[in-house]
């Protein structure tokens, strides 16, 4: 049994799979954390793709109905809600607000393109 | 039966729940899209909270082992992977790269605090 275990576990640092390839040159705890970060990042990218599908549809709807691309009152409510969610989940509310601003800037850029308006310099 | 349905559905625009409160003053399609965006944003905030738990642990590990806060080679691999994931999921790879840069800047800021290094001016 000990022999079998030795065969199965000759290189414990390689047991953490990662797209980084062999991870024997970094601490195993660091490799494990990076593997989790990579999984979370893949989820974030897919959620962001889904979010932009929604905002793309919003942009087309706003353009069709002649509504302005930006909606400061809606953004204010979004900021307040995300700050509260961030606080409850242990995320820095300041970062959550900056994050939303980062995304909304991109969304408005998309909406301006949909509406055919000149882009900001 | 028709009476019951009428009672349940006297104001169809209000059937889309939203933290925005009554949504009777905006198009129902826009209210529905905003409701989805709000759900996605809540998921994003919680995933980001989890990601920063991981990077917090990475920062402590790096500080304990004397490793530098930034790791350009790892970041290069992350960018390439996220651009590929973005491409496959319909997200603009340029945005995915900017998004990662935005998060990593915050992470490095955290790591510098953990390591007790002076912050960038």
């Amino acid at each position: 049994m000990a022999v079998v275990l030795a065969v199965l576990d000759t290189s414990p640092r390689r047991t953490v799979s990662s797209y980084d390839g062999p991870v024997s040159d970094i601490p195993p705890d660091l490799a494990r954390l990076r593997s989790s970060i990579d999984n979370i990042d893949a989820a974030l990218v897919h959620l962001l793709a889904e979010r932009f599908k929604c905002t793309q549809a919003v942009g087309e709807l706003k353009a069709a109905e002649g509504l302005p691309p930006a909606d400061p009152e809606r953004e204010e409510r979004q900021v307040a809600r995300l700050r509260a969610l961030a606080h409850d989940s242990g995320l820095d509310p300041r970062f959550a607000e900056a994050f939303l601003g980062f995304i909304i800037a991109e969304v408005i850029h998309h909406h301006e393109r949909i509406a055919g308006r000149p882009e900001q310099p």
Side-chain angles (χ1 to χ4, degrees), chain A residues 99-113:
Chain A
F99 172 72
L100 183 66
F102 180 77
I103 292 181
I104 287 179
E106 180 76 6
V107 169
I108 291 175
H109 176 66
H110 288 188
H111 286 188
E112 285 170 343
R113 278 192 302 187

Side-chain angles (χ1 to χ4, degrees), chain A residues 1 4 10 12 15 17 24 46 50 55-56 62 78 85 93 105 116 121:
Chain A
M1 186 62 174
V4 172
T10 50
T15 59
S17 67
S24 56
H46 286 87
E50 203 58 29
T55 51
Q56 171 83 12
K62 283 183 170 180
Q78 283 177 292
L85 283 172

Side-chain angles (χ1 to χ4, degrees), chain A residues 16-112:
Chain A
V16 177
S17 67
S18 167
Y19 74 92
D20 282 350
V23 292
S24 56
D25 53 341
I26 61 170
D29 283 351
L30 181 55
R32 267 187 287 272
L33 287 164
R34 285 182 166 179
S35 174
S36 292
I37 289 167
D38 293 339
N39 285 340
I40 291 169
D41 282 348
L44 287 169
V45 162
H46 286 87
L47 275 175
L48 285 168
E50 203 58 29
R51 193 189 196 281
F52 279 110
K53 278 192 205 170
C54 291
T55 51
Q56 171 83 12
V58 167
E60 287 164 5
L61 196 64
K62 283 183 170 180
E65 305 220 5
L67 296 165
D71 184 339
E73 285 184 22
R74 152 95 174 146
E75 285 166 33
E76 206 173 300
R77 289 190 299 268
Q78 283 177 292
V79 166
R81 175 174 174 263
L82 287 193
R83 286 186 67 97
L85 283 172
H87 179 268
D88 292 347
S89 61
L91 184 69
D92 181 351
R94 179 194 55 74
F95 178 79
E97 181 170 350
F99 172 72
L100 183 66
F102 180 77
I103 292 181
I104 287 179
E106 180 76 6
V107 169
I108 291 175
H109 176 66
H110 288 188
H111 286 188
E112 285 170 343

